[in-house]
Amino acid sequence: MWDCGCASKATVFPRLGELLLDSGLITEADIAEALEVQKERGGRLGWILMSLGKIRRLDLFQALADQYCIPFFRDGVDELLRHAQVELAHRLSFQEVVSTHLLPWYQEGTVLHLLTDYPCATDRQAFFAATFPEATAFRLHLVTDLDFARLVQRIYRHEMLDEAIHGLFYRAPEESANPVFTRRQILALGFLGNAALFLFYFHPILAAQFFFAAVQVLFLVSVLFKLLVSLVGAGQELAEPVTNEEVRTLRDEELPVYTILVPVYREPEVVGHLVHALKAMDYPQHKLDVLLLLEEDDTATLEAAKAAAPPGNWRFLILPDAQPKTKPKACNYGVFFSRGEFLTIYDAEDRPEPDQLKKAVVAFRKNPETVVCFQAALNYFNARENLITKLFTLEYSYWFDYLLPGLDRLGLPIPLGGTSNHFRTRILKELGAWDPFNVTEDADLGIRACASGFRVGIINSTTFEEANSRYRNWIRQRSRWIKGYLQTALVYNRRPLQMLRRLGFKNWLGFQLFILGTPLLFLCNPIVWAVFLGWLATGTKALDPFFPPLLVYIGLFNLLIGNFFGIYLNMIAVYRRKIYGLLPVALLNPLYWLFFHSVAAYKALWQLVAKPFYWEKTEHGLTRMAPPH
Amino acid sequence: MASPVWPHRTSWAAVGIWATATLLIGLWNTLLAHQGVIERELLYLGEKALLVFHGRPPRLENLGFVSPPLPYAFVLITQSPLWGTAAIGGLLLAAAIAWMRRAQNDPWVLALGIALAATPPGLHLLSQSPRAGLLTLSLLASFVWLRRYCASQATVHLFLFGLVSSSIFLTAYEAVLLVPIMVLPVTMESRPVRENLAIFGTALTPSLFMMAGWAYLNWIFLGHPWAFFEGWQLGLIEKGTSSPGLANGVRQMGSFLASSWFSLLPWIVVGADTVFRRQGCWPTTLIMMGMPLLWIFLQGALGMPLRTETVPLFWACSLLAHGTQECGACVLPQPRRFLRLALLGAFVASWLLPQLEGAESLRQIVVGRTQVHSWIAERELVAVLRHEPGTVLLDDARLFPIVLLEGNPQRFLLPYEYEFQSALRTPSLFARFVVVDSSGDDQLTRVHPLARHGILPGFFLRSRHGELLLYERIAPSRRLGPQLEEREKRDHTRKP
């Protein structure tokens, strides 16, 4: 017997609004406003009232308990756990508990007592009857959604952590970045290294020629590939994947619940801004499922988030104190509790454009299910702060406004950016979510989606972030990105031929040129410059044997034309966002490559071997410029 | 999320037209060469390419440092000035047809426009002027992208304009001065100053970069940043050219308009229509219409001769510009009919009326009034050399036709070779023959000024062919005689 208070007694439920009015918790005006919102945007009245700030969470749940005639427990998680028979809960996986909103609490005879934060959903009875055949009756008890989440976290602490960290590794070890190098890769690298040493010993000139030729050709191919993709991307400049008209025609009541994951760690100074930015989103607040993912030892950020007074529909998830404290782990953890049909991630310093979620919804509806994710553009609000932020802004404008649209247009795999990627939640879970061992888990996920037959698209909406304004901080961040690209390249080159079959030649080549080619380009860059500058300064003829004429011409082409394209593509990047003041800064692009990217690339290469899973934390909140409102 | 659909069917059609046109022009060029008609420019580029592959030693600098580099690249790849030029002509024709098809909806205008390619100036441009052909192509392509940018404001069009216009410098150095003039109308539209400056900067950056890069490469490899300009002038500008200056530019412009006005009828019609109607991107269109005239002025101002290839540039600009017009609001009555008549008039006039040098030779050949022979002196001299073994010493800065026409560069001792400077001082130790241009100034005549007048120590004047003097060594040096004989025999047998 499924004992759900009044429902089981076949009584007509009293209306929630009337209950709240009778108890004096809201006024007639409040209920009228909430009903108006419900009429326009749909959703549950209780959540609307809570997201409007008319009632407290505890009052809402008390009213729900009254409505459904079930007991409501508000004494806290510890008290609940004191009575809990944990072994009952462990007969279910935490995913089943979260998806059914029911947690077995304790059993009295043949009566199983269940905790829920979502009373009287009748479609779960059969499942529980099958799982607990010894129980003849099920009795529900209400807890708040926050308590429910905390209970699940406490009871399934180890399982959830293990799943968040090793879930992908267990399901598809060949797609996890752990270990960095497979045995086969180590053997191949060893063989190549030895072959190179032999060649250098017996035919030093030939070996050097081969080495320089490889560097030059790599550089050339990489530059030309980026030029091609950028040209195609620039051709899409005026195209709008989602038009404002399409956004306007969306009906709020038809919008799905949208989960927003916000992983934060030691960022108390920026979390308040994020709360304001998300409050300003043009999306029904009661349909936003915002999960603030906090680490257990980061009380400062938790306090700052509470002080920013987020709406009632926000949830704070406190992650257990365990290594690694990385963004992908936190996001995987958040995915377990996500309720939305769609899901996105924002960093603490992000300022998404208000219509971004609606544009994503339109994009999802316009495209087939095979398009698993849409990446919004990222850009910086503090572009004019100093030279580093200017260079960084130019690079990002080029990357997100021209390069990614080019990849999209050519149908090539798109490495996702760190935030503002919008997913179909169900497929994201099927894909295994993020790899916590990959330090650019986003780029990895984009490639994995492509390898699994899905596609990534782009939407014409921007999230503004804070550009790194300090050199060391910039190097830390970029070295992590480049290391992640190398990890991704290694993961998907474990079985290159198999990957070729899975991706198809075009995607495979695009992946190699983009994911592997980008770090290699930056690694080659100082070699090209060193040879050239050494030759220019000394006029030495010692290098002549190493550079046959064809190689000289390719080298010159790389030096002149390669750097020219680097500059010119960055010049073009100013147009879409009308940041014309940054145009002269594009001329510094060769220096940006050399003293920024290449330095970071070598640091990344070293870390790939020495500290492959080390997460170089980027410090935020350094800017003196105010974020946009 | 749509997948790309390139290449389009029209792209394949353009490739087909290019291949066919290249074949036809190549055959036509071969026919002309047998008739003795070949332009100086083709011989110049041909000789440079020949030295890369068959020089003694192969002149590897010529892989990348022959000016102007873009026309030369075609000759280098095909290893033939005739087929390299044909490839350029085919490309120009295919591109022009493709653009006209997009821009024109009047089949008569399109047909007559294509027919103009079969006029003496058109044929000369396509088959005998690789530099002018590529310049025409670059200018037209630049305008196509600039006008698209003007209409769409899509950055990719500005980007492509920048890239395409930078090829102008690598085709004809002096024409780079036209690029800022092209961009000016676009930057004078009502936008914020900063945006206009950005557009101007973006459009010019590739050209500036090409200039700086090319000068730098010349400095590094040839020791002089402007070596490209001087080398090209020395080789290609014919003797007796008028002195540079603005007045000369104006004079040249005037004389061109006076001599060729009938051929320019389409240009006059479309130009008038553009001025009267002032629609759309009309300032850009107007600049486009004025570009050939500016080009003539620029060449005159720089002291370069008036060339016949400019006439087709007028036609191409007119046809492209006309394609942008909205005929529903034409000021001129029935401009299409006017244009058809003008095109027909230009076609007929170019065959009936005398043309400028170059095109006139072709007209004479086709009309059949006279037999045209060019490079008579060089051919006669080469005929003598072909029957006599032995090394030939000459400065190929101006005498490059002899090297190409002879076909075996291994028997020539040329300035790039290590021994050349020694040979200049004592030619008799190194060469059996010496060739001198009595009217010119080259390295040989600088060391041996009397060689212009038939006196060269150790040599006697074997023959005179126009202004070319062929010297032959009197007798081998007694001390080195056998070695010299042996070496010459060896050199002569090392044919490629």
Side-chain angles (χ1 to χ4, degrees):
Chain A
M1 186 183 69
W2 196 262
D3 183 5
C4 180
C6 326
S8 60
K9 294 166 192 148
T11 315
V12 176
F13 294 138
R15 288 168 177 255
L16 182 68
E18 287 167 2
L19 280 172
L20 290 167
L21 268 176
D22 292 345
S23 58
L25 291 168
I26 55 170
T27 63
E28 288 281 357
D30 291 339
I31 193 105
E33 186 183 342
L35 286 170
E36 188 64 29
V37 171
Q38 190 182 39
K39 193 176 163 191
E40 281 177 13
R41 303 183 161 189
R44 289 188 286 162
L45 186 67
W47 283 99
I48 294 171
L49 284 164
M50 196 168 71
S51 60
L52 289 171
K54 304 296 181 190
I55 50 168
R56 297 185 310 149
R57 177 177 256 104
L58 284 175
D59 295 333
L60 169 66
F61 276 85
Q62 183 60 64
L64 282 172
D66 295 343
Q67 185 188 17
Y68 287 102
C69 310
I70 54 175
F72 172 50
F73 286 88
R74 56 196 297 174
D75 302 331
V77 174
D78 291 330
E79 187 60 24
L80 288 165
L81 280 173
R82 212 160 55 79
H83 301 289
Q85 293 169 354
V86 177
E87 67 281 2
L88 284 175
H90 279 293
R91 286 166 67 177
L92 297 176
S93 70
F94 69 86
Q95 288 97 339
E96 287 167 332
V97 170
V98 170
S99 65
T100 57
H101 291 269
L102 286 170
L103 177 70
W105 190 18
Y106 64 90
Q107 194 165 346
E108 261 180 348
T110 57
V111 179
L112 182 63
H113 294 262
L114 300 163
L115 294 172
T116 184
D117 62 344
Y118 186 48
C120 285
T122 49
D123 54 346
R124 301 163 293 184
Q125 296 174 12
F127 171 72
F128 272 82
T131 312
F132 298 95
E134 71 279 13
T136 54
F138 298 90
R139 190 156 298 154
L140 297 188
H141 304 266
L142 190 66
V143 289
T144 66
D145 55 334
L146 296 183
D147 280 347
F148 189 83
R150 285 184 201 124
L151 276 168
V152 173
Q153 282 181 275
R154 293 274 288 272
I155 293 170
Y156 294 99
R157 178 188 173 98
H158 298 296
E159 289 88 340
M160 293 183 88
L161 262 180
D162 194 43
E163 179 65 21
I165 298 169
H166 297 106
L168 177 69
F169 178 75
Y170 293 148
R171 276 191 300 279
E174 71 283 357
E175 289 180 347
S176 167
N178 184 21
V180 182
F181 297 97
T182 59
R183 189 179 299 173
R184 195 179 295 199
Q185 282 176 326
I186 291 169
L187 281 173
L189 285 173
F191 173 77
L192 285 175
N194 276 309
L197 282 176
F198 270 105
L199 195 62
F200 264 104
Y201 186 78
F202 291 108
H203 301 284
I205 290 183
L206 181 68
Q209 281 182 355
F210 183 78
F211 173 72
F212 286 128
V215 167
Q216 298 290 357
V217 169
L218 201 67
F219 194 95
L220 177 70
V221 170
S222 191
V223 165
L224 292 180
F225 172 71
K226 283 197 171 169
L227 174 70
L228 169 75
V229 176
S230 312
L231 269 177
V232 174
Q236 301 301 299
E237 186 184 43
L238 301 178
E240 287 189 323
V242 179
T243 63
N244 289 336
E245 185 54 38
E246 286 172 314
V247 171
R248 271 197 296 275
T249 53
L250 274 180
R251 290 157 58 101
D252 281 355
E253 67 268 26
E254 292 173 358
L255 289 173
V257 173
Y258 215 116
T259 296
I260 298 177
L261 301 182
V262 188
V264 281
Y265 187 52
R266 293 189 177 155
E267 293 169 296
E269 62 283 351
V270 292
V271 75
H273 293 302
L274 177 78
V275 172
H276 293 300
L278 293 187
K279 275 183 183 173
M281 293 299 278
D282 176 21
Y283 205 86
Q285 278 294 330
H286 61 281
K287 290 187 175 179
L288 286 182
D289 171 33
V290 184
L291 290 170
L292 201 65
L293 308 169
L294 296 139
E295 294 285 346
E296 209 166 44
D297 60 347
D298 184 16
T299 49
T301 311
L302 176 63
E303 291 308 317
K306 281 180 181 170
N313 54 320
W314 285 47
R315 288 183 287 166
F316 295 171
L317 276 184
I318 315 292
L319 275 70
D321 189 12
Q323 292 295 337
K325 289 180 182 175
T326 60
K327 184 172 153 186
K329 186 196 83 175
C331 289
N332 285 346
Y333 206 86
V335 167
F336 301 147
F337 293 96
S338 61
R339 295 172 182 159
E341 182 183 342
F342 304 124
L343 176 149
T344 189
I345 305 168
Y346 291 124
D347 279 348
E349 81 277 15
D350 284 0
R351 306 287 174 275
E353 283 181 340
D355 62 353
Q356 191 172 110
L357 300 181
K358 283 189 172 176
K359 279 189 172 170
V361 170
V362 173
F364 279 120
R365 287 183 179 169
K366 275 170 72 173
N367 287 281
E369 272 229 331
T370 47
V371 186
V372 67
C373 173
F374 284 94
Q375 172 71 55
L378 303 179
N379 213 285
Y380 295 123
F381 62 78
N382 61 332
R384 289 182 171 78
E385 186 161 0
N386 61 26
L387 188 61
I388 296 176
T389 60
K390 285 176 184 171
L391 286 163
F392 206 177
T393 305
L394 270 183
E395 184 194 2
Y396 249 43
S397 302
Y398 161 62
W399 186 274
F400 284 99
D401 297 343
Y402 294 92
L403 206 58
L404 292 196
L407 290 174
D408 180 44
R409 174 75 177 152
L410 290 168
L412 295 172
I414 295 179
L416 298 175
T419 78
S420 309
N421 19 57
H422 300 257
F423 295 94
R424 296 183 197 272
T425 313
R426 183 180 54 80
I427 301 177
L428 174 69
K429 288 177 180 172
E430 282 174 19
L431 282 170
W434 294 271
D435 180 3
F437 294 100
N438 192 314
V439 291
T440 48
E441 74 294 344
D442 30 38
D444 169 77
L445 183 54
I447 305 302
R448 190 166 357 118
C450 183
S452 306
F454 294 104
R455 284 205 56 197
V456 173
I458 52 163
I459 49 171
N460 49 325
S461 177
T462 303
T463 298
F464 290 93
E465 301 186 309
E466 175 197 342
N468 242 316
S469 54
R470 294 185 190 167
Y471 183 71
R472 282 175 188 278
N473 202 30
W474 190 99
I475 293 289
R476 271 203 299 275
Q477 186 183 46
R478 188 53 60 101
S479 67
R480 175 165 62 79
W481 293 355
I482 295 175
K483 182 169 72 175
Y485 267 42
L486 288 169
Q487 282 181 323
T488 308
L490 284 167
V491 167
Y492 294 101
N493 274 318
R494 285 174 179 165
R495 292 176 185 277
L497 289 178
Q498 195 184 57
M499 192 47 60
L500 177 64
R501 277 195 296 272
R502 279 177 73 184
L503 289 175
F505 180 72
K506 189 181 76 170
N507 285 343
W508 181 84
L509 188 65
F511 161 76
Q512 301 292 4
L513 288 171
F514 204 73
I515 300 295
L516 184 59
T518 300
L520 291 183
L521 177 68
F522 297 136
L523 290 170
C524 292
N525 193 35
I527 299 171
V528 174
W529 275 105
V531 170
F532 168 70
L533 291 175
W535 173 73
L536 192 67
T538 61
T540 179
K541 299 276 181 195
L543 292 171
D544 288 0
F546 304 115
F547 288 96
L550 185 62
L551 208 53
V552 170
Y553 291 124
I554 294 177
L556 283 169
F557 181 88
N558 283 342
L559 189 78
L560 291 174
I561 306 296
N563 281 299
F564 162 70
F565 279 133
I567 291 170
Y568 199 45
L569 290 171
N570 272 299
M571 287 178 95
I572 293 296
V574 306
Y575 282 89
R576 186 158 187 169
R577 296 184 183 278
K578 302 187 186 304
I579 41 178
Y580 303 112
L582 301 189
L583 192 90
V585 181
L587 295 171
L588 300 175
N589 193 62
L591 298 178
Y592 185 52
W593 278 21
L594 190 61
F595 294 111
F596 286 71
H597 285 98
S598 293
V599 172
Y602 277 95
K603 184 178 178 185
L605 187 64
W606 172 74
Q607 280 202 354
L608 183 72
V609 181
K611 295 194 274 186
F613 309 124
Y614 176 65
W615 186 277
E616 286 272 17
K617 175 85 179 123
T618 313
E619 211 176 323
H620 292 298
L622 302 174
T623 181
R624 294 185 301 277
M625 297 182 81
H629 295 291
Chain B
M1 298 293 301
S3 61
V5 286
W6 193 88
H8 305 281
R9 193 180 294 172
T10 47
S11 305
W12 289 116
V15 170
I17 293 171
W18 177 49
T20 312
T22 300
L23 186 69
L24 292 175
I25 298 168
L27 292 172
W28 162 256
N29 262 356
T30 312
L31 199 69
L32 283 181
H34 280 295
Q35 294 269 327
V37 178
I38 185 163
E39 280 287 328
R40 186 178 188 82
E41 196 178 325
L42 271 67
L43 295 176
Y44 174 80
L45 298 175
E47 191 244 8
K48 304 297 172 203
L50 187 68
L51 290 178
V52 173
F53 299 104
H54 306 299
R56 183 198 61 180
R59 194 172 188 190
L60 295 176
E61 299 88 55
N62 281 7
L63 271 176
F65 296 101
V66 169
S67 305
L70 276 190
Y72 174 65
F74 283 83
V75 177
L76 186 71
I77 291 166
T78 55
Q79 295 189 39
S80 158
L82 303 177
W83 286 97
T85 308
I88 293 172
L91 198 60
L92 173 60
L93 193 62
I97 290 172
W99 287 325
M100 279 199 295
R101 274 192 63 186
R102 275 182 88 139
Q104 291 289 346
N105 52 6
D106 183 348
W108 281 105
V109 171
L110 185 65
L112 286 166
I114 294 170
L116 288 176
T119 57
L123 285 171
H124 189 263
L125 177 77
L126 296 174
S127 65
Q128 294 288 308
S129 312
R131 184 167 163 268
L134 265 186
L135 178 65
T136 307
L137 183 64
S138 304
L139 282 173
L140 294 182
S142 300
F143 269 119
V144 165
W145 292 118
L146 192 65
R147 220 177 44 206
R148 283 187 191 172
Y149 176 67
C150 180
S152 70
Q153 300 296 310
T155 318
V156 66
H157 296 151
L158 183 67
F159 182 92
L160 288 169
F161 166 79
L163 289 185
V164 171
S165 63
S166 71
S167 67
I168 289 174
F169 173 78
L170 298 177
T171 303
Y173 304 117
E174 67 281 13
V176 78
L177 296 172
L178 300 176
V179 179
I181 299 171
M182 283 189 229
V183 186
L184 269 179
V186 179
T187 57
M188 286 161 77
E189 288 171 21
S190 56
R191 293 193 197 89
V193 177
R194 193 174 262 201
E195 187 176 349
N196 277 329
L197 282 175
I199 292 169
F200 198 68
T202 308
L204 291 193
T205 296
S207 293
L208 293 172
F209 193 88
M210 284 296 168
M211 283 170 66
W214 194 239
Y216 164 76
L217 289 178
N218 274 261
W219 173 57
I220 291 285
F221 287 96
L222 306 176
H224 183 11
W226 309 118
F228 63 90
F229 199 67
E230 288 166 3
W232 165 75
Q233 274 193 319
L234 192 64
L236 283 181
I237 307 275
E238 286 164 26
K239 287 171 283 185
T241 306
S242 50
S243 56
L246 294 179
N248 189 49
V250 175
R251 198 164 38 242
Q252 195 146 297
M253 212 161 60
S255 83
F256 177 83
L257 287 175
S259 64
S260 309
W261 69 271
F262 209 78
S263 298
L264 303 186
L265 278 176
W267 180 74
I268 294 167
V269 170
V270 177
D273 192 34
T274 308
V275 171
F276 282 121
R277 280 202 296 127
R278 300 186 180 186
Q279 281 192 342
C281 301
W282 71 271
T284 306
T285 309
L286 202 61
I287 285 285
M288 177 177 172
M289 295 295 294
M291 202 50 60
L293 216 50
L294 275 172
W295 174 234
I296 294 172
F297 168 78
L298 192 63
Q299 284 191 304
L302 293 171
M304 295 175 192
L306 190 57
R307 305 288 302 176
T308 183
E309 308 92 45
T310 321
V311 174
L313 183 59
F314 277 90
W315 293 340
C317 286
S318 311
L319 287 166
L320 266 184
H322 179 259
T324 67
Q325 317 288 330
E326 297 294 330
C327 279
C330 292
V331 171
L332 289 176
Q334 299 190 339
R336 274 192 194 170
R337 191 171 294 172
F338 266 102
L339 185 61
R340 286 180 205 163
L341 284 173
L343 287 168
L344 192 62
F347 181 84
V348 173
S350 64
W351 280 110
L352 296 182
L353 300 178
Q355 299 292 309
L356 291 167
E357 187 195 335
E360 179 60 17
S361 307
L362 293 185
R363 195 178 76 90
Q364 294 289 345
I365 288 173
V366 176
V367 172
R369 285 184 187 161
T370 41
Q371 196 73 15
V372 176
H373 284 293
S374 57
W375 310 105
I376 295 169
E378 284 81 356
R379 283 175 197 280
E380 284 174 5
L381 192 145
V382 165
V384 174
L385 287 178
R386 279 199 176 140
H387 292 102
E388 304 279 355
T391 302
V392 183
L393 176 70
L394 59 80
D395 180 358
D396 66 342
R398 291 199 69 84
L399 297 176
F400 53 84
I402 294 169
V403 180
L404 185 74
L405 292 172
E406 211 286 335
N408 175 20
Q410 302 234 347
R411 68 177 301 200
F412 289 91
L413 190 51
L414 300 172
Y416 80 92
E417 290 181 52
Y418 184 68
E419 301 152 305
F420 185 78
Q421 289 304 321
S422 309
L424 271 186
R425 283 190 294 274
T426 50
S428 58
L429 288 179
F430 292 85
R432 182 179 170 194
F433 296 102
V434 174
V435 181
V436 171
D437 182 357
S438 62
S439 66
D441 173 36
D442 63 14
Q443 297 195 52
L444 260 159
T445 54
R446 263 176 253 147
V447 178
H448 305 284
L450 291 176
R452 282 202 193 99
H453 308 292
I455 300 166
L456 183 64
F459 287 81
F460 71 93
L461 185 62
R462 162 86 183 255
S463 55
R464 187 187 286 269
H465 309 274
E467 289 173 337
L468 299 178
L469 308 180
L470 176 64
Y471 291 97
E472 186 176 352
R473 192 169 52 214
I474 293 168
S477 150
R478 280 183 191 167
R479 190 165 54 86
L480 295 173
Q483 290 96 317
L484 274 176
E485 290 295 332
E486 192 178 320
R487 180 184 148 174
E488 282 173 0
K489 206 180 289 173
R490 190 182 64 230
D491 290 350
H492 193 64
T493 52
R494 277 169 49 194
K495 284 196 175 181

